[in-house]
Amino acid sequence: MNIGQASEASGVSAKMIRYYEEIGLIRPMGRTGNNYRVYGEDEVHILRFIRRARSLGFSLEETETLLKLWQDRSRESAAVKEVATAHIVDLERRIAEMQGMVKTLKHLADCCGGDHRPNCPILDDLAGDSSAEGDGSAEGDSSAEGEASRSAGKTKLHA
């Protein structure tokens, strides 16, 4: 089958198939006399494996490791589990970071009047001008230093 058919059968775009070949994730395919790539069921199965690994958030490096382990019939399942559990730890860390972002943004949105006035604690926070709690100081700055920092920031933004 050609690359379009392999793409259709695997769910991986032709562009990504070419990229995976270019970076060495999959071996270069055989070619016809017209220089078209030729794929068989084995290659489609590998592409499906890659698509599934990527859909679970594994990096290209992790996917390559898992692919090699999958193809190695003498592998130990402990090696596979190690990759998966490390990925779980990374996902949990990223989830915690995102939950922190949601909490912060909810707080900032709650502090914003959302009215016709130009005051906006969301933009102030992004600019480092003040905390949403309204304590008037930048993170770790004394009041005078925080005010000087905020004034300098406003000058830079409006210059």
Side-chain angles (χ1 to χ4, degrees):
M1 68 181 80
N2 65 31
I3 195 167
Q5 293 163 325
S7 173
E8 177 96 14
S10 67
V12 177
S13 72
K15 182 178 180 179
M16 289 307 297
I17 294 172
R18 287 186 199 97
Y19 176 68
Y20 293 154
E21 185 179 316
E22 180 183 317
I23 64 170
L25 186 59
I26 58 174
R27 64 181 174 75
M29 296 301 118
R31 303 278 182 150
T32 65
N34 305 21
N35 207 27
Y36 290 114
R37 292 172 173 86
V38 179
Y39 299 85
E41 287 302 317
D42 289 344
E43 289 82 14
V44 169
H45 198 92
I46 290 168
L47 289 168
R48 286 182 186 137
F49 180 97
I50 293 168
R51 181 189 49 143
R52 178 68 175 142
R54 298 291 287 150
S55 75
L56 290 172
F58 285 103
S59 68
L60 285 172
E61 294 78 17
E62 291 166 326
T63 300
E64 181 178 28
T65 299
L66 290 168
L67 185 58
K68 286 177 181 175
L69 288 167
W70 179 56
Q71 292 170 332
D72 177 6
R73 298 293 180 208
S74 66
R75 71 181 173 271
E76 294 184 8
S77 64
V80 179
K81 185 174 182 174
E82 184 179 325
V83 174
T85 54
H87 185 60
I88 291 167
V89 168
D90 183 52
L91 287 172
E92 288 174 337
R93 178 193 55 78
R94 290 174 23 207
I95 288 167
E97 288 174 358
M98 292 175 104
Q99 287 172 334
M101 287 184 236
V102 167
K103 182 179 178 183
T104 299
L105 287 170
K106 280 183 176 180
H107 176 72
L108 291 170
D110 287 345
C111 292
C112 181
D115 53 24
H116 64 281
R117 295 178 301 176
N119 306 22
C120 182
I122 300 167
L123 294 177
D124 290 346
D125 182 82
L126 292 173
D129 290 343
S130 66
S131 72
E133 273 75 40
D135 68 2
S137 66
E139 288 182 39
D141 289 339
S142 72
S143 292
E145 290 170 340
E147 186 56 39
S149 172
R150 284 188 296 282
S151 295
K154 286 179 185 172
T155 303
K156 288 178 190 171
L157 288 174
H158 298 294

Tab-separated table of all heavy atoms in Angstrom, residues 25-26 41-51 53 62-77 79-80 83:
chain	number	residue	atom	x	y	z
A	25	LEU	N	12.401	7.002	13.693
A	25	LEU	CA	11.477	6.278	14.562
A	25	LEU	C	10.964	5.017	13.866
A	25	LEU	O	10.786	3.985	14.498
A	25	LEU	CB	10.312	7.185	14.981
A	25	LEU	CG	9.341	6.620	16.013
A	25	LEU	CD1	10.058	6.265	17.318
A	25	LEU	CD2	8.229	7.624	16.300
A	26	ILE	N	10.742	5.137	12.557
A	26	ILE	CA	10.409	3.955	11.756
A	26	ILE	C	11.479	3.822	10.683
A	26	ILE	O	12.078	4.815	10.258
A	26	ILE	CB	8.992	4.034	11.126
A	26	ILE	CG1	8.839	5.269	10.239
A	26	ILE	CG2	7.922	4.014	12.206
A	26	ILE	CD1	7.520	5.340	9.475
A	41	GLU	N	1.265	-4.560	6.195
A	41	GLU	CA	0.502	-4.625	7.446
A	41	GLU	C	1.392	-4.425	8.667
A	41	GLU	O	0.974	-3.829	9.652
A	41	GLU	CB	-0.270	-5.942	7.538
A	41	GLU	CG	-1.467	-6.006	6.604
A	41	GLU	CD	-2.471	-4.878	6.835
A	41	GLU	OE1	-2.773	-4.559	8.003
A	41	GLU	OE2	-2.952	-4.306	5.836
A	42	ASP	N	2.625	-4.941	8.632
A	42	ASP	CA	3.536	-4.771	9.769
A	42	ASP	C	3.827	-3.292	10.023
A	42	ASP	O	3.814	-2.839	11.172
A	42	ASP	CB	4.853	-5.521	9.535
A	42	ASP	CG	4.700	-7.027	9.602
A	42	ASP	OD1	3.663	-7.510	10.129
A	42	ASP	OD2	5.620	-7.725	9.127
A	43	GLU	N	4.078	-2.553	8.964
A	43	GLU	CA	4.367	-1.124	9.121
A	43	GLU	C	3.142	-0.373	9.634
A	43	GLU	O	3.266	0.530	10.476
A	43	GLU	CB	4.839	-0.516	7.791
A	43	GLU	CG	6.228	-0.966	7.370
A	43	GLU	CD	6.258	-2.321	6.664
A	43	GLU	OE1	5.190	-2.823	6.246
A	43	GLU	OE2	7.363	-2.874	6.528
A	44	VAL	N	1.980	-0.743	9.161
A	44	VAL	CA	0.739	-0.115	9.637
A	44	VAL	C	0.548	-0.410	11.117
A	44	VAL	O	0.168	0.470	11.899
A	44	VAL	CB	-0.474	-0.578	8.798
A	44	VAL	CG1	-1.786	-0.139	9.445
A	44	VAL	CG2	-0.365	-0.038	7.379
A	45	HIS	N	0.843	-1.632	11.530
A	45	HIS	CA	0.728	-2.012	12.938
A	45	HIS	C	1.679	-1.162	13.794
A	45	HIS	O	1.305	-0.686	14.871
A	45	HIS	CB	1.027	-3.503	13.092
A	45	HIS	CG	0.538	-4.092	14.358
A	45	HIS	ND1	-0.693	-4.684	14.497
A	45	HIS	CD2	1.116	-4.156	15.575
A	45	HIS	CE1	-0.845	-5.101	15.731
A	45	HIS	NE2	0.238	-4.798	16.417
A	46	ILE	N	2.890	-0.952	13.304
A	46	ILE	CA	3.862	-0.106	14.016
A	46	ILE	C	3.350	1.325	14.097
A	46	ILE	O	3.439	1.966	15.146
A	46	ILE	CB	5.241	-0.170	13.313
A	46	ILE	CG1	5.863	-1.553	13.520
A	46	ILE	CG2	6.162	0.940	13.818
A	46	ILE	CD1	7.075	-1.824	12.640
A	47	LEU	N	2.793	1.822	13.009
A	47	LEU	CA	2.259	3.187	13.010
A	47	LEU	C	1.102	3.323	13.996
A	47	LEU	O	0.990	4.339	14.693
A	47	LEU	CB	1.814	3.592	11.601
A	47	LEU	CG	2.950	3.821	10.604
A	47	LEU	CD1	2.396	3.926	9.188
A	47	LEU	CD2	3.761	5.059	10.979
A	48	ARG	N	0.271	2.310	14.098
A	48	ARG	CA	-0.824	2.335	15.081
A	48	ARG	C	-0.272	2.352	16.501
A	48	ARG	O	-0.795	3.039	17.374
A	48	ARG	CB	-1.743	1.128	14.897
A	48	ARG	CG	-2.630	1.212	13.686
A	48	ARG	CD	-3.542	0.001	13.594
A	48	ARG	NE	-4.301	0.011	12.368
A	48	ARG	CZ	-4.504	-1.055	11.605
A	48	ARG	NH1	-4.016	-2.234	11.963
A	48	ARG	NH2	-5.192	-0.953	10.498
A	49	PHE	N	0.792	1.575	16.723
A	49	PHE	CA	1.452	1.551	18.031
A	49	PHE	C	1.946	2.960	18.380
A	49	PHE	O	1.705	3.455	19.483
A	49	PHE	CB	2.630	0.560	18.003
A	49	PHE	CG	3.377	0.462	19.300
A	49	PHE	CD1	3.090	-0.544	20.199
A	49	PHE	CD2	4.372	1.370	19.622
A	49	PHE	CE1	3.778	-0.651	21.407
A	49	PHE	CE2	5.067	1.287	20.817
A	49	PHE	CZ	4.762	0.271	21.716
A	50	ILE	N	2.615	3.587	17.433
A	50	ILE	CA	3.155	4.936	17.648
A	50	ILE	C	2.017	5.919	17.914
A	50	ILE	O	2.094	6.727	18.848
A	50	ILE	CB	4.010	5.381	16.433
A	50	ILE	CG1	5.268	4.529	16.338
A	50	ILE	CG2	4.347	6.870	16.528
A	50	ILE	CD1	6.038	4.688	15.034
A	51	ARG	N	0.956	5.842	17.119
A	51	ARG	CA	-0.179	6.755	17.302
A	51	ARG	C	-0.770	6.605	18.699
A	51	ARG	O	-1.060	7.587	19.376
A	51	ARG	CB	-1.247	6.504	16.246
A	51	ARG	CG	-2.455	7.451	16.383
A	51	ARG	CD	-3.551	7.026	15.473
A	51	ARG	NE	-3.730	5.590	15.701
A	51	ARG	CZ	-4.885	4.954	15.706
A	51	ARG	NH1	-5.982	5.586	15.454
A	51	ARG	NH2	-4.961	3.674	15.930
A	53	ALA	N	0.709	5.389	21.456
A	53	ALA	CA	1.668	5.885	22.451
A	53	ALA	C	1.638	7.407	22.509
A	53	ALA	O	1.610	8.004	23.589
A	53	ALA	CB	3.076	5.376	22.127
A	62	GLU	N	10.292	8.503	24.444
A	62	GLU	CA	9.626	7.428	25.174
A	62	GLU	C	8.956	6.458	24.199
A	62	GLU	O	9.007	5.240	24.396
A	62	GLU	CB	8.581	7.992	26.139
A	62	GLU	CG	9.166	8.764	27.302
A	62	GLU	CD	8.118	9.579	28.047
A	62	GLU	OE1	7.161	10.082	27.415
A	62	GLU	OE2	8.272	9.733	29.279
A	63	THR	N	8.356	7.001	23.166
A	63	THR	CA	7.707	6.161	22.158
A	63	THR	C	8.727	5.260	21.480
A	63	THR	O	8.485	4.069	21.273
A	63	THR	CB	6.960	7.029	21.127
A	63	THR	OG1	5.966	7.791	21.806
A	63	THR	CG2	6.319	6.187	20.047
A	64	GLU	N	9.878	5.816	21.171
A	64	GLU	CA	10.939	5.016	20.555
A	64	GLU	C	11.376	3.891	21.501
A	64	GLU	O	11.545	2.742	21.074
A	64	GLU	CB	12.128	5.901	20.191
A	64	GLU	CG	13.256	5.142	19.535
A	64	GLU	CD	14.408	6.043	19.124
A	64	GLU	OE1	14.618	7.099	19.747
A	64	GLU	OE2	15.111	5.661	18.163
A	65	THR	N	11.541	4.215	22.768
A	65	THR	CA	11.918	3.204	23.756
A	65	THR	C	10.862	2.108	23.839
A	65	THR	O	11.178	0.914	23.822
A	65	THR	CB	12.120	3.860	25.144
A	65	THR	OG1	13.168	4.827	25.052
A	65	THR	CG2	12.452	2.836	26.207
A	66	LEU	N	9.599	2.520	23.928
A	66	LEU	CA	8.506	1.541	24.002
A	66	LEU	C	8.422	0.691	22.738
A	66	LEU	O	8.174	-0.518	22.806
A	66	LEU	CB	7.175	2.253	24.262
A	66	LEU	CG	7.024	2.855	25.655
A	66	LEU	CD1	5.818	3.774	25.708
A	66	LEU	CD2	6.931	1.759	26.697
A	67	LEU	N	8.640	1.317	21.596
A	67	LEU	CA	8.602	0.585	20.327
A	67	LEU	C	9.697	-0.479	20.295
A	67	LEU	O	9.453	-1.630	19.910
A	67	LEU	CB	8.752	1.566	19.165
A	67	LEU	CG	8.631	1.024	17.756
A	67	LEU	CD1	7.283	0.351	17.542
A	67	LEU	CD2	8.819	2.155	16.750
A	68	LYS	N	10.893	-0.112	20.737
A	68	LYS	CA	11.995	-1.078	20.770
A	68	LYS	C	11.684	-2.212	21.747
A	68	LYS	O	11.970	-3.371	21.460
A	68	LYS	CB	13.297	-0.378	21.151
A	68	LYS	CG	13.862	0.471	20.025
A	68	LYS	CD	15.104	1.214	20.450
A	68	LYS	CE	15.616	2.077	19.304
A	68	LYS	NZ	16.758	2.906	19.715
A	69	LEU	N	11.113	-1.857	22.887
A	69	LEU	CA	10.741	-2.890	23.859
A	69	LEU	C	9.660	-3.815	23.286
A	69	LEU	O	9.702	-5.032	23.473
A	69	LEU	CB	10.267	-2.253	25.167
A	69	LEU	CG	11.369	-1.612	26.018
A	69	LEU	CD1	10.764	-0.738	27.106
A	69	LEU	CD2	12.267	-2.686	26.612
A	70	TRP	N	8.691	-3.226	22.605
A	70	TRP	CA	7.611	-4.014	21.996
A	70	TRP	C	8.152	-4.994	20.968
A	70	TRP	O	7.695	-6.137	20.862
A	70	TRP	CB	6.601	-3.044	21.380
A	70	TRP	CG	5.440	-3.674	20.687
A	70	TRP	CD1	4.545	-4.574	21.207
A	70	TRP	CD2	5.012	-3.432	19.345
A	70	TRP	NE1	3.591	-4.893	20.264
A	70	TRP	CE2	3.857	-4.202	19.120
A	70	TRP	CE3	5.488	-2.618	18.325
A	70	TRP	CZ2	3.177	-4.189	17.911
A	70	TRP	CZ3	4.814	-2.606	17.123
A	70	TRP	CH2	3.672	-3.388	16.927
A	71	GLN	N	9.134	-4.534	20.212
A	71	GLN	CA	9.697	-5.371	19.154
A	71	GLN	C	10.699	-6.401	19.687
A	71	GLN	O	11.030	-7.345	18.989
A	71	GLN	CB	10.350	-4.481	18.092
A	71	GLN	CG	9.333	-3.665	17.331
A	71	GLN	CD	9.944	-2.602	16.441
A	71	GLN	OE1	11.036	-2.088	16.718
A	71	GLN	NE2	9.249	-2.264	15.368
A	72	ASP	N	11.153	-6.210	20.920
A	72	ASP	CA	12.114	-7.119	21.539
A	72	ASP	C	11.361	-8.180	22.333
A	72	ASP	O	10.910	-7.932	23.450
A	72	ASP	CB	13.059	-6.338	22.449
A	72	ASP	CG	14.051	-7.228	23.186
A	72	ASP	OD1	14.102	-8.444	22.930
A	72	ASP	OD2	14.773	-6.680	24.036
A	73	ARG	N	11.218	-9.355	21.788
A	73	ARG	CA	10.441	-10.420	22.433
A	73	ARG	C	11.126	-10.957	23.694
A	73	ARG	O	10.507	-11.639	24.489
A	73	ARG	CB	10.195	-11.567	21.451
A	73	ARG	CG	9.393	-11.156	20.240
A	73	ARG	CD	7.978	-10.806	20.633
A	73	ARG	NE	7.230	-10.424	19.439
A	73	ARG	CZ	6.228	-9.603	19.458
A	73	ARG	NH1	5.835	-9.062	20.576
A	73	ARG	NH2	5.594	-9.303	18.346
A	74	SER	N	12.415	-10.628	23.901
A	74	SER	CA	13.104	-11.089	25.103
A	74	SER	C	13.126	-10.031	26.208
A	74	SER	O	13.781	-10.211	27.220
A	74	SER	CB	14.539	-11.511	24.752
A	74	SER	OG	15.287	-10.383	24.330
A	75	ARG	N	12.381	-8.964	26.003
A	75	ARG	CA	12.340	-7.867	26.979
A	75	ARG	C	11.760	-8.364	28.303
A	75	ARG	O	11.058	-9.361	28.361
A	75	ARG	CB	11.477	-6.731	26.464
A	75	ARG	CG	10.011	-7.172	26.481
A	75	ARG	CD	9.050	-6.159	25.986
A	75	ARG	NE	7.727	-6.727	25.902
A	75	ARG	CZ	7.218	-7.352	24.861
A	75	ARG	NH1	7.945	-7.494	23.780
A	75	ARG	NH2	6.003	-7.828	24.877
A	76	GLU	N	12.038	-7.590	29.337
A	76	GLU	CA	11.396	-7.831	30.628
A	76	GLU	C	10.304	-6.787	30.787
A	76	GLU	O	10.515	-5.606	30.481
A	76	GLU	CB	12.411	-7.724	31.754
A	76	GLU	CG	13.460	-8.824	31.710
A	76	GLU	CD	14.420	-8.769	32.888
A	76	GLU	OE1	14.189	-7.975	33.830
A	76	GLU	OE2	15.397	-9.520	32.851
A	77	SER	N	9.163	-7.195	31.278
A	77	SER	CA	8.050	-6.248	31.422
A	77	SER	C	8.391	-5.141	32.410
A	77	SER	O	7.817	-4.050	32.345
A	77	SER	CB	6.769	-6.962	31.844
A	77	SER	OG	6.911	-7.552	33.120
A	79	ALA	N	10.959	-3.317	32.424
A	79	ALA	CA	11.488	-2.181	31.663
A	79	ALA	C	10.350	-1.346	31.084
A	79	ALA	O	10.414	-0.111	31.067
A	79	ALA	CB	12.406	-2.675	30.555
A	80	VAL	N	9.308	-2.018	30.623
A	80	VAL	CA	8.144	-1.316	30.069
A	80	VAL	C	7.426	-0.562	31.184
A	80	VAL	O	7.061	0.606	31.039
A	80	VAL	CB	7.184	-2.314	29.374
A	80	VAL	CG1	5.972	-1.578	28.820
A	80	VAL	CG2	7.905	-3.086	28.284
A	83	VAL	N	9.127	2.720	32.162
A	83	VAL	CA	8.834	3.835	31.249
A	83	VAL	C	7.438	4.386	31.540
A	83	VAL	O	7.238	5.606	31.629
A	83	VAL	CB	8.946	3.388	29.769
A	83	VAL	CG1	8.500	4.512	28.827
A	83	VAL	CG2	10.369	2.946	29.443
